[in-house]
Amino acid sequence: MDIKSTAASLPWWVKWIAIPVIALVVFGGLIANVVGFLVGLLFKVLLFVALVGGLIYVVRRFTSASSSSRDRW
């Protein structure tokens, strides 16, 4: 008996309800940890991009302001 014939002989509710529920119970903690890690990583990447963008904005603003004030002298 191979896996395909065994799976074909199972009722639909076993294939589509019982097996996924068992997988969630067994691997639920692992799945939650992976999803939490990915969300945290995405948040850190977005925070990094925002901080670097803000730094570039501030530096350009002050360097353009200081260079224009030097031109007035």
Side-chain angles (χ1 to χ4, degrees):
M1 226 186 223
D2 62 341
I3 294 175
K4 285 187 180 185
S5 64
T6 303
S9 66
L10 293 174
W12 68 269
W13 59 270
V14 173
K15 289 187 268 189
W16 297 107
I17 296 173
I19 292 174
V21 166
I22 292 170
L24 283 175
V25 169
V26 172
F27 297 110
L30 176 66
I31 293 169
N33 284 337
V34 169
V35 169
F37 173 77
L38 292 176
V39 169
L41 183 65
L42 178 64
F43 174 75
K44 288 178 183 178
V45 167
L46 290 176
L47 181 65
F48 176 76
V49 168
L51 289 173
V52 169
L55 178 66
I56 290 171
Y57 173 78
V58 167
V59 167
R60 284 189 177 177
R61 181 140 175 125
F62 280 115
T63 55
S64 68
S66 65
S67 66
S68 65
S69 65
R70 264 189 253 137
D71 292 341
R72 288 187 210 147
W73 288 97

Short mmCIF file of all heavy atoms in Angstrom, two decimals:
data_model
loop_
_atom_site.label_atom_id
_atom_site.label_comp_id
_atom_site.label_asym_id
_atom_site.label_seq_id
_atom_site.Cartn_x
_atom_site.Cartn_y
_atom_site.Cartn_z
N MET A 1 0.84 -1.18 0.00
CA MET A 1 0.00 0.00 0.00
C MET A 1 0.89 1.25 0.00
O MET A 1 1.71 1.42 0.88
CB MET A 1 -0.87 -0.02 1.25
CG MET A 1 -2.29 0.29 0.97
SD MET A 1 -3.22 0.41 2.48
CE MET A 1 -4.64 -0.49 2.00
N ASP A 2 0.68 2.10 -0.97
CA ASP A 2 1.45 3.33 -0.98
C ASP A 2 0.61 4.48 -0.41
O ASP A 2 -0.56 4.32 -0.09
CB ASP A 2 1.94 3.65 -2.40
CG ASP A 2 0.81 3.86 -3.38
OD1 ASP A 2 -0.32 3.43 -3.09
OD2 ASP A 2 1.05 4.47 -4.43
N ILE A 3 1.22 5.64 -0.30
CA ILE A 3 0.58 6.78 0.34
C ILE A 3 -0.61 7.28 -0.46
O ILE A 3 -1.64 7.65 0.11
CB ILE A 3 1.61 7.90 0.56
CG1 ILE A 3 2.66 7.43 1.57
CG2 ILE A 3 0.97 9.18 1.05
CD1 ILE A 3 3.79 8.39 1.79
N LYS A 4 -0.50 7.29 -1.81
CA LYS A 4 -1.61 7.79 -2.63
C LYS A 4 -2.86 6.94 -2.47
O LYS A 4 -3.96 7.48 -2.34
CB LYS A 4 -1.19 7.84 -4.10
CG LYS A 4 -0.28 8.98 -4.42
CD LYS A 4 -0.04 9.06 -5.91
CE LYS A 4 0.87 10.22 -6.21
NZ LYS A 4 1.06 10.42 -7.64
N SER A 5 -2.71 5.65 -2.47
CA SER A 5 -3.90 4.80 -2.33
C SER A 5 -4.46 4.89 -0.91
O SER A 5 -5.68 4.83 -0.72
CB SER A 5 -3.56 3.36 -2.68
OG SER A 5 -2.61 2.84 -1.77
N THR A 6 -3.58 5.05 0.07
CA THR A 6 -4.05 5.21 1.45
C THR A 6 -4.80 6.52 1.60
O THR A 6 -5.87 6.57 2.21
CB THR A 6 -2.87 5.16 2.42
OG1 THR A 6 -2.16 3.94 2.25
CG2 THR A 6 -3.34 5.26 3.85
N ALA A 7 -4.26 7.60 1.05
CA ALA A 7 -4.92 8.90 1.15
C ALA A 7 -6.22 8.92 0.36
O ALA A 7 -7.18 9.57 0.76
CB ALA A 7 -3.98 9.99 0.66
N ALA A 8 -6.27 8.21 -0.75
CA ALA A 8 -7.49 8.18 -1.56
C ALA A 8 -8.61 7.44 -0.85
O ALA A 8 -9.79 7.75 -1.06
CB ALA A 8 -7.19 7.54 -2.90
N SER A 9 -8.26 6.50 0.01
CA SER A 9 -9.29 5.73 0.69
C SER A 9 -9.83 6.43 1.93
O SER A 9 -10.83 5.98 2.50
CB SER A 9 -8.74 4.35 1.07
OG SER A 9 -7.72 4.50 2.03
N LEU A 10 -9.22 7.54 2.34
CA LEU A 10 -9.68 8.26 3.53
C LEU A 10 -10.88 9.13 3.19
O LEU A 10 -11.00 9.66 2.08
CB LEU A 10 -8.56 9.15 4.07
CG LEU A 10 -7.35 8.44 4.66
CD1 LEU A 10 -6.28 9.46 5.01
CD2 LEU A 10 -7.73 7.64 5.87
N PRO A 11 -11.77 9.32 4.15
CA PRO A 11 -12.89 10.25 3.92
C PRO A 11 -12.38 11.69 3.78
O PRO A 11 -11.31 12.03 4.26
CB PRO A 11 -13.75 10.12 5.19
CG PRO A 11 -13.25 8.93 5.91
CD PRO A 11 -11.88 8.63 5.42
N TRP A 12 -13.19 12.55 3.14
CA TRP A 12 -12.76 13.93 2.88
C TRP A 12 -12.47 14.69 4.16
O TRP A 12 -11.56 15.50 4.22
CB TRP A 12 -13.81 14.68 2.05
CG TRP A 12 -15.09 14.92 2.81
CD1 TRP A 12 -16.18 14.11 2.83
CD2 TRP A 12 -15.37 16.03 3.65
NE1 TRP A 12 -17.13 14.64 3.65
CE2 TRP A 12 -16.66 15.83 4.16
CE3 TRP A 12 -14.67 17.16 4.03
CZ2 TRP A 12 -17.27 16.72 5.04
CZ3 TRP A 12 -15.28 18.06 4.90
CH2 TRP A 12 -16.57 17.84 5.39
N TRP A 13 -13.26 14.44 5.23
CA TRP A 13 -13.08 15.21 6.46
C TRP A 13 -11.78 14.86 7.15
O TRP A 13 -11.22 15.69 7.86
CB TRP A 13 -14.27 15.03 7.40
CG TRP A 13 -14.52 13.60 7.82
CD1 TRP A 13 -15.30 12.69 7.20
CD2 TRP A 13 -13.96 12.95 8.94
NE1 TRP A 13 -15.25 11.50 7.86
CE2 TRP A 13 -14.44 11.64 8.95
CE3 TRP A 13 -13.08 13.34 9.95
CZ2 TRP A 13 -14.08 10.72 9.92
CZ3 TRP A 13 -12.73 12.44 10.93
CH2 TRP A 13 -13.23 11.13 10.90
N VAL A 14 -11.26 13.67 6.92
CA VAL A 14 -9.96 13.30 7.51
C VAL A 14 -8.85 14.05 6.79
O VAL A 14 -7.95 14.60 7.41
CB VAL A 14 -9.74 11.77 7.44
CG1 VAL A 14 -8.33 11.40 7.88
CG2 VAL A 14 -10.77 11.04 8.29
N LYS A 15 -8.93 14.11 5.45
CA LYS A 15 -7.89 14.78 4.65
C LYS A 15 -7.90 16.28 4.86
O LYS A 15 -6.84 16.91 4.92
CB LYS A 15 -8.08 14.47 3.16
CG LYS A 15 -7.76 13.05 2.78
CD LYS A 15 -7.80 12.88 1.29
CE LYS A 15 -9.18 12.44 0.86
NZ LYS A 15 -9.25 12.06 -0.55
N TRP A 16 -9.09 16.89 4.94
CA TRP A 16 -9.19 18.36 4.92
C TRP A 16 -9.43 18.98 6.28
O TRP A 16 -9.28 20.20 6.43
CB TRP A 16 -10.29 18.79 3.96
CG TRP A 16 -9.98 18.38 2.57
CD1 TRP A 16 -10.56 17.37 1.86
CD2 TRP A 16 -8.96 18.92 1.72
NE1 TRP A 16 -9.98 17.26 0.62
CE2 TRP A 16 -9.00 18.21 0.50
CE3 TRP A 16 -8.02 19.95 1.87
CZ2 TRP A 16 -8.14 18.48 -0.55
CZ3 TRP A 16 -7.18 20.23 0.81
CH2 TRP A 16 -7.23 19.50 -0.38
N ILE A 17 -9.77 18.20 7.30
CA ILE A 17 -10.03 18.77 8.64
C ILE A 17 -9.12 18.14 9.69
O ILE A 17 -8.39 18.84 10.39
CB ILE A 17 -11.51 18.61 9.03
CG1 ILE A 17 -12.39 19.41 8.07
CG2 ILE A 17 -11.75 19.07 10.45
CD1 ILE A 17 -13.87 19.21 8.25
N ALA A 18 -9.16 16.82 9.81
CA ALA A 18 -8.45 16.17 10.91
C ALA A 18 -6.92 16.29 10.77
O ALA A 18 -6.24 16.62 11.75
CB ALA A 18 -8.86 14.70 10.99
N ILE A 19 -6.38 16.03 9.60
CA ILE A 19 -4.92 16.08 9.42
C ILE A 19 -4.38 17.50 9.61
O ILE A 19 -3.39 17.69 10.32
CB ILE A 19 -4.52 15.46 8.08
CG1 ILE A 19 -4.82 13.95 8.11
CG2 ILE A 19 -3.06 15.72 7.76
CD1 ILE A 19 -4.60 13.22 6.81
N PRO A 20 -5.01 18.55 9.02
CA PRO A 20 -4.51 19.90 9.31
C PRO A 20 -4.62 20.30 10.78
O PRO A 20 -3.74 20.99 11.30
CB PRO A 20 -5.38 20.81 8.43
CG PRO A 20 -5.81 19.93 7.32
CD PRO A 20 -5.98 18.58 7.92
N VAL A 21 -5.68 19.87 11.47
CA VAL A 21 -5.82 20.19 12.89
C VAL A 21 -4.71 19.51 13.69
O VAL A 21 -4.10 20.12 14.58
CB VAL A 21 -7.22 19.78 13.41
CG1 VAL A 21 -7.27 19.79 14.92
CG2 VAL A 21 -8.28 20.71 12.84
N ILE A 22 -4.41 18.25 13.38
CA ILE A 22 -3.33 17.55 14.06
C ILE A 22 -1.99 18.24 13.79
O ILE A 22 -1.17 18.42 14.69
CB ILE A 22 -3.29 16.07 13.63
CG1 ILE A 22 -4.51 15.33 14.16
CG2 ILE A 22 -2.02 15.39 14.12
CD1 ILE A 22 -4.69 13.94 13.60
N ALA A 23 -1.78 18.67 12.54
CA ALA A 23 -0.55 19.38 12.20
C ALA A 23 -0.44 20.69 12.98
O ALA A 23 0.65 21.05 13.46
CB ALA A 23 -0.48 19.64 10.71
N LEU A 24 -1.55 21.43 13.11
CA LEU A 24 -1.51 22.67 13.89
C LEU A 24 -1.24 22.42 15.36
O LEU A 24 -0.52 23.19 16.01
CB LEU A 24 -2.84 23.43 13.73
CG LEU A 24 -3.01 24.19 12.42
CD1 LEU A 24 -4.40 24.78 12.34
CD2 LEU A 24 -1.95 25.27 12.29
N VAL A 25 -1.79 21.36 15.91
CA VAL A 25 -1.54 21.05 17.31
C VAL A 25 -0.08 20.68 17.53
O VAL A 25 0.56 21.14 18.46
CB VAL A 25 -2.48 19.91 17.79
CG1 VAL A 25 -2.06 19.37 19.14
CG2 VAL A 25 -3.92 20.40 17.83
N VAL A 26 0.46 19.85 16.63
CA VAL A 26 1.84 19.40 16.79
C VAL A 26 2.83 20.51 16.50
O VAL A 26 3.78 20.72 17.25
CB VAL A 26 2.10 18.17 15.88
CG1 VAL A 26 3.57 17.79 15.88
CG2 VAL A 26 1.25 16.99 16.33
N PHE A 27 2.61 21.24 15.39
CA PHE A 27 3.58 22.25 14.96
C PHE A 27 3.14 23.68 15.23
O PHE A 27 3.75 24.63 14.72
CB PHE A 27 3.86 22.09 13.45
CG PHE A 27 4.46 20.78 13.09
CD1 PHE A 27 3.72 19.84 12.39
CD2 PHE A 27 5.77 20.47 13.44
CE1 PHE A 27 4.27 18.62 12.04
CE2 PHE A 27 6.32 19.26 13.10
CZ PHE A 27 5.57 18.33 12.40
N GLY A 28 2.10 23.87 16.00
CA GLY A 28 1.55 25.20 16.24
C GLY A 28 2.55 26.16 16.86
O GLY A 28 2.67 27.31 16.46
N GLY A 29 3.30 25.70 17.85
CA GLY A 29 4.31 26.55 18.48
C GLY A 29 5.40 26.94 17.52
O GLY A 29 5.85 28.10 17.49
N LEU A 30 5.84 26.01 16.71
CA LEU A 30 6.87 26.29 15.71
C LEU A 30 6.37 27.29 14.68
O LEU A 30 7.07 28.25 14.33
CB LEU A 30 7.30 25.00 15.02
CG LEU A 30 8.31 25.14 13.89
CD1 LEU A 30 9.64 25.63 14.44
CD2 LEU A 30 8.48 23.81 13.18
N ILE A 31 5.14 27.10 14.22
CA ILE A 31 4.57 28.02 13.24
C ILE A 31 4.44 29.42 13.84
O ILE A 31 4.76 30.42 13.19
CB ILE A 31 3.20 27.49 12.75
CG1 ILE A 31 3.40 26.20 11.95
CG2 ILE A 31 2.47 28.53 11.91
CD1 ILE A 31 2.12 25.45 11.64
N ALA A 32 3.98 29.50 15.09
CA ALA A 32 3.84 30.81 15.75
C ALA A 32 5.20 31.48 15.91
O ALA A 32 5.32 32.70 15.72
CB ALA A 32 3.16 30.63 17.11
N ASN A 33 6.23 30.72 16.25
CA ASN A 33 7.56 31.30 16.40
C ASN A 33 8.10 31.81 15.06
O ASN A 33 8.69 32.89 15.01
CB ASN A 33 8.53 30.27 16.98
CG ASN A 33 8.33 30.07 18.46
OD1 ASN A 33 7.81 30.94 19.14
ND2 ASN A 33 8.74 28.92 18.96
N VAL A 34 7.90 31.06 14.00
CA VAL A 34 8.39 31.49 12.68
C VAL A 34 7.66 32.74 12.23
O VAL A 34 8.27 33.70 11.75
CB VAL A 34 8.24 30.34 11.66
CG1 VAL A 34 8.48 30.83 10.24
CG2 VAL A 34 9.20 29.21 12.00
N VAL A 35 6.33 32.76 12.38
CA VAL A 35 5.55 33.94 11.98
C VAL A 35 5.95 35.14 12.83
O VAL A 35 6.11 36.26 12.31
CB VAL A 35 4.04 33.65 12.08
CG1 VAL A 35 3.22 34.92 11.92
CG2 VAL A 35 3.63 32.62 11.04
N GLY A 36 6.12 34.95 14.12
CA GLY A 36 6.55 36.04 15.00
C GLY A 36 7.92 36.56 14.62
O GLY A 36 8.16 37.78 14.63
N PHE A 37 8.83 35.67 14.30
CA PHE A 37 10.17 36.08 13.87
C PHE A 37 10.11 36.90 12.58
O PHE A 37 10.77 37.94 12.46
CB PHE A 37 11.06 34.85 13.68
CG PHE A 37 12.40 35.17 13.08
CD1 PHE A 37 13.39 35.74 13.85
CD2 PHE A 37 12.66 34.90 11.75
CE1 PHE A 37 14.63 36.04 13.30
CE2 PHE A 37 13.88 35.19 11.18
CZ PHE A 37 14.88 35.76 11.97
N LEU A 38 9.32 36.43 11.62
CA LEU A 38 9.21 37.15 10.34
C LEU A 38 8.57 38.52 10.51
O LEU A 38 9.02 39.49 9.90
CB LEU A 38 8.42 36.30 9.33
CG LEU A 38 9.12 35.03 8.85
CD1 LEU A 38 8.19 34.23 7.94
CD2 LEU A 38 10.41 35.36 8.14
N VAL A 39 7.54 38.62 11.35
CA VAL A 39 6.91 39.91 11.60
C VAL A 39 7.89 40.85 12.30
O VAL A 39 8.00 42.02 11.96
CB VAL A 39 5.61 39.73 12.41
CG1 VAL A 39 5.08 41.06 12.92
CG2 VAL A 39 4.56 39.03 11.56
N GLY A 40 8.62 40.33 13.29
CA GLY A 40 9.62 41.15 13.97
C GLY A 40 10.72 41.60 13.04
O GLY A 40 11.18 42.75 13.10
N LEU A 41 11.17 40.72 12.17
CA LEU A 41 12.21 41.07 11.20
C LEU A 41 11.71 42.14 10.23
O LEU A 41 12.42 43.10 9.93
CB LEU A 41 12.65 39.82 10.44
CG LEU A 41 13.79 40.00 9.44
CD1 LEU A 41 15.07 40.39 10.17
CD2 LEU A 41 14.01 38.71 8.67
N LEU A 42 10.48 41.99 9.76
CA LEU A 42 9.90 42.99 8.86
C LEU A 42 9.79 44.34 9.55
O LEU A 42 10.11 45.38 8.96
CB LEU A 42 8.52 42.53 8.38
CG LEU A 42 7.76 43.49 7.47
CD1 LEU A 42 8.52 43.69 6.15
CD2 LEU A 42 6.36 42.98 7.21
N PHE A 43 9.38 44.35 10.82
CA PHE A 43 9.29 45.60 11.57
C PHE A 43 10.66 46.25 11.71
O PHE A 43 10.80 47.46 11.53
CB PHE A 43 8.69 45.33 12.95
CG PHE A 43 8.70 46.55 13.84
CD1 PHE A 43 7.80 47.57 13.63
CD2 PHE A 43 9.62 46.65 14.87
CE1 PHE A 43 7.81 48.70 14.46
CE2 PHE A 43 9.64 47.77 15.68
CZ PHE A 43 8.73 48.79 15.47
N LYS A 44 11.67 45.47 12.01
CA LYS A 44 13.02 46.02 12.16
C LYS A 44 13.55 46.56 10.84
O LYS A 44 14.21 47.60 10.81
CB LYS A 44 13.97 44.96 12.73
CG LYS A 44 13.70 44.67 14.18
CD LYS A 44 14.61 43.59 14.71
CE LYS A 44 14.24 43.27 16.16
NZ LYS A 44 15.06 42.20 16.71
N VAL A 45 13.28 45.88 9.74
CA VAL A 45 13.72 46.37 8.43
C VAL A 45 13.03 47.68 8.10
O VAL A 45 13.68 48.64 7.64
CB VAL A 45 13.46 45.30 7.34
CG1 VAL A 45 13.59 45.88 5.95
CG2 VAL A 45 14.40 44.12 7.51
N LEU A 46 11.72 47.77 8.33
CA LEU A 46 11.00 49.01 8.06
C LEU A 46 11.47 50.14 8.97
O LEU A 46 11.59 51.28 8.52
CB LEU A 46 9.49 48.78 8.22
CG LEU A 46 8.84 47.91 7.17
CD1 LEU A 46 7.37 47.67 7.51
CD2 LEU A 46 8.97 48.53 5.79
N LEU A 47 11.74 49.85 10.22
CA LEU A 47 12.27 50.85 11.14
C LEU A 47 13.63 51.34 10.68
O LEU A 47 13.92 52.53 10.69
CB LEU A 47 12.34 50.28 12.56
CG LEU A 47 12.84 51.22 13.64
CD1 LEU A 47 11.87 52.38 13.82
CD2 LEU A 47 13.02 50.47 14.94
N PHE A 48 14.48 50.43 10.25
CA PHE A 48 15.80 50.79 9.74
C PHE A 48 15.70 51.69 8.53
O PHE A 48 16.38 52.72 8.44
CB PHE A 48 16.60 49.51 9.41
CG PHE A 48 17.94 49.78 8.79
CD1 PHE A 48 18.99 50.20 9.56
CD2 PHE A 48 18.13 49.60 7.43
CE1 PHE A 48 20.24 50.45 8.99
CE2 PHE A 48 19.36 49.85 6.84
CZ PHE A 48 20.42 50.26 7.64
N VAL A 49 14.83 51.34 7.59
CA VAL A 49 14.65 52.14 6.38
C VAL A 49 14.13 53.53 6.74
O VAL A 49 14.61 54.54 6.20
CB VAL A 49 13.71 51.42 5.40
CG1 VAL A 49 13.27 52.35 4.27
CG2 VAL A 49 14.38 50.18 4.84
N ALA A 50 13.19 53.62 7.67
CA ALA A 50 12.65 54.92 8.07
C ALA A 50 13.72 55.77 8.75
O ALA A 50 13.81 56.97 8.49
CB ALA A 50 11.45 54.71 9.00
N LEU A 51 14.53 55.17 9.62
CA LEU A 51 15.57 55.93 10.31
C LEU A 51 16.65 56.40 9.35
O LEU A 51 17.11 57.55 9.43
CB LEU A 51 16.18 55.09 11.43
CG LEU A 51 15.27 54.85 12.64
CD1 LEU A 51 15.92 53.88 13.61
CD2 LEU A 51 14.95 56.16 13.33
N VAL A 52 17.06 55.56 8.42
CA VAL A 52 18.07 55.96 7.45
C VAL A 52 17.51 57.04 6.53
O VAL A 52 18.20 58.04 6.24
CB VAL A 52 18.57 54.74 6.63
CG1 VAL A 52 19.40 55.18 5.45
CG2 VAL A 52 19.37 53.81 7.53
N GLY A 53 16.27 56.91 6.11
CA GLY A 53 15.64 57.95 5.30
C GLY A 53 15.55 59.26 6.05
O GLY A 53 15.81 60.33 5.48
N GLY A 54 15.18 59.21 7.31
CA GLY A 54 15.12 60.43 8.12
C GLY A 54 16.49 61.06 8.30
O GLY A 54 16.63 62.29 8.25
N LEU A 55 17.50 60.24 8.51
CA LEU A 55 18.86 60.76 8.64
C LEU A 55 19.32 61.44 7.36
O LEU A 55 19.89 62.54 7.40
CB LEU A 55 19.81 59.62 9.01
CG LEU A 55 21.29 59.98 9.13
CD1 LEU A 55 21.50 60.92 10.30
CD2 LEU A 55 22.13 58.73 9.29
N ILE A 56 19.06 60.81 6.22
CA ILE A 56 19.44 61.41 4.93
C ILE A 56 18.70 62.73 4.73
O ILE A 56 19.28 63.73 4.29
CB ILE A 56 19.17 60.42 3.78
CG1 ILE A 56 20.15 59.26 3.87
CG2 ILE A 56 19.26 61.11 2.43
CD1 ILE A 56 19.84 58.12 2.93
N TYR A 57 17.41 62.79 5.08
CA TYR A 57 16.64 64.02 4.95
C TYR A 57 17.23 65.13 5.82
O TYR A 57 17.41 66.26 5.36
CB TYR A 57 15.19 63.75 5.33
CG TYR A 57 14.34 65.01 5.39
CD1 TYR A 57 13.88 65.60 4.23
CD2 TYR A 57 14.01 65.59 6.61
CE1 TYR A 57 13.11 66.75 4.27
CE2 TYR A 57 13.25 66.74 6.66
CZ TYR A 57 12.80 67.31 5.49
OH TYR A 57 12.04 68.44 5.54
N VAL A 58 17.54 64.81 7.08
CA VAL A 58 18.07 65.82 7.99
C VAL A 58 19.44 66.30 7.51
O VAL A 58 19.72 67.51 7.51
CB VAL A 58 18.14 65.26 9.43
CG1 VAL A 58 18.97 66.15 10.34
CG2 VAL A 58 16.74 65.08 9.98
N VAL A 59 20.31 65.39 7.10
CA VAL A 59 21.64 65.78 6.64
C VAL A 59 21.54 66.66 5.41
O VAL A 59 22.21 67.69 5.32
CB VAL A 59 22.51 64.52 6.38
CG1 VAL A 59 23.77 64.88 5.63
CG2 VAL A 59 22.84 63.84 7.70
N ARG A 60 20.71 66.30 4.45
CA ARG A 60 20.57 67.12 3.24
C ARG A 60 19.98 68.49 3.56
O ARG A 60 20.38 69.49 2.98
CB ARG A 60 19.69 66.42 2.21
CG ARG A 60 20.40 65.30 1.51
CD ARG A 60 19.57 64.78 0.37
NE ARG A 60 20.30 63.74 -0.35
CZ ARG A 60 19.80 63.07 -1.36
NH1 ARG A 60 18.58 63.31 -1.77
NH2 ARG A 60 20.52 62.15 -1.96
N ARG A 61 19.04 68.52 4.48
CA ARG A 61 18.41 69.80 4.85
C ARG A 61 19.43 70.74 5.49
O ARG A 61 19.49 71.92 5.16
CB ARG A 61 17.24 69.54 5.78
CG ARG A 61 16.53 70.78 6.19
CD ARG A 61 15.05 70.51 6.21
NE ARG A 61 14.39 71.69 6.73
CZ ARG A 61 13.44 72.31 6.10
NH1 ARG A 61 13.05 71.85 4.93
NH2 ARG A 61 12.86 73.35 6.62
N PHE A 62 20.23 70.21 6.43
CA PHE A 62 21.20 71.06 7.10
C PHE A 62 22.39 71.42 6.21
O PHE A 62 22.91 72.52 6.30
CB PHE A 62 21.68 70.42 8.41
CG PHE A 62 20.71 70.60 9.54
CD1 PHE A 62 20.08 69.50 10.10
CD2 PHE A 62 20.41 71.85 10.02
CE1 PHE A 62 19.17 69.66 11.13
CE2 PHE A 62 19.50 72.02 11.05
CZ PHE A 62 18.88 70.93 11.61
N THR A 63 22.81 70.49 5.37
CA THR A 63 23.94 70.83 4.49
C THR A 63 23.51 71.84 3.43
O THR A 63 24.29 72.72 3.09
CB THR A 63 24.52 69.57 3.81
OG1 THR A 63 23.48 68.89 3.13
CG2 THR A 63 25.17 68.67 4.82
N SER A 64 22.28 71.77 2.94
CA SER A 64 21.84 72.76 1.96
C SER A 64 21.62 74.11 2.65
O SER A 64 21.91 75.15 2.07
CB SER A 64 20.57 72.30 1.27
OG SER A 64 19.49 72.28 2.18
N ALA A 65 21.16 74.09 3.89
CA ALA A 65 20.96 75.35 4.62
C ALA A 65 22.30 76.00 4.94
O ALA A 65 22.47 77.21 4.82
CB ALA A 65 20.17 75.10 5.90
N SER A 66 23.28 75.21 5.34
CA SER A 66 24.58 75.78 5.68
C SER A 66 25.33 76.24 4.43
O SER A 66 26.03 77.24 4.46
CB SER A 66 25.41 74.78 6.47
OG SER A 66 25.72 73.66 5.67
N SER A 67 25.17 75.55 3.32
CA SER A 67 25.87 75.97 2.10
C SER A 67 25.23 77.24 1.54
O SER A 67 25.92 78.11 1.02
CB SER A 67 25.87 74.86 1.06
OG SER A 67 24.55 74.62 0.61
N SER A 68 23.91 77.40 1.66
CA SER A 68 23.27 78.62 1.18
C SER A 68 23.60 79.80 2.08
O SER A 68 23.72 80.93 1.61
CB SER A 68 21.77 78.44 1.06
OG SER A 68 21.21 78.23 2.34
N SER A 69 23.78 79.55 3.39
CA SER A 69 24.15 80.66 4.28
C SER A 69 25.61 81.06 4.03
O SER A 69 25.99 82.21 4.22
CB SER A 69 23.94 80.28 5.74
OG SER A 69 24.82 79.24 6.10
N ARG A 70 26.45 80.11 3.61
CA ARG A 70 27.84 80.46 3.27
C ARG A 70 27.90 81.30 2.02
O ARG A 70 28.75 82.14 1.88
CB ARG A 70 28.66 79.17 3.07
CG ARG A 70 29.42 78.74 4.30
CD ARG A 70 30.36 77.61 3.98
NE ARG A 70 29.80 76.39 4.56
CZ ARG A 70 29.76 75.22 3.97
NH1 ARG A 70 30.22 75.07 2.76
NH2 ARG A 70 29.23 74.20 4.57
N ASP A 71 26.97 81.08 1.09
CA ASP A 71 26.96 81.84 -0.14
C ASP A 71 26.60 83.30 0.11
O ASP A 71 27.03 84.19 -0.63
CB ASP A 71 25.96 81.23 -1.13
CG ASP A 71 26.42 79.87 -1.62
OD1 ASP A 71 27.62 79.57 -1.49
OD2 ASP A 71 25.57 79.10 -2.13
N ARG A 72 25.82 83.54 1.17
CA ARG A 72 25.45 84.91 1.47
C ARG A 72 26.63 85.74 1.97
O ARG A 72 26.66 86.94 1.84
CB ARG A 72 24.36 84.93 2.54
CG ARG A 72 23.01 84.45 2.01
CD ARG A 72 21.94 84.64 3.04
NE ARG A 72 20.94 83.60 2.83
CZ ARG A 72 20.25 83.05 3.80
NH1 ARG A 72 20.42 83.42 5.03
NH2 ARG A 72 19.37 82.12 3.53
N TRP A 73 27.62 85.11 2.56
CA TRP A 73 28.77 85.84 3.10
C TRP A 73 29.60 86.24 1.96
O TRP A 73 30.41 86.87 1.71
CB TRP A 73 29.57 84.99 4.09
CG TRP A 73 28.82 84.79 5.38
CD1 TRP A 73 28.07 83.72 5.71
CD2 TRP A 73 28.74 85.69 6.47
NE1 TRP A 73 27.52 83.88 6.93
CE2 TRP A 73 27.93 85.09 7.44
CE3 TRP A 73 29.27 86.96 6.73
CZ2 TRP A 73 27.64 85.70 8.64
CZ3 TRP A 73 28.98 87.55 7.94
CH2 TRP A 73 28.16 86.93 8.88
#
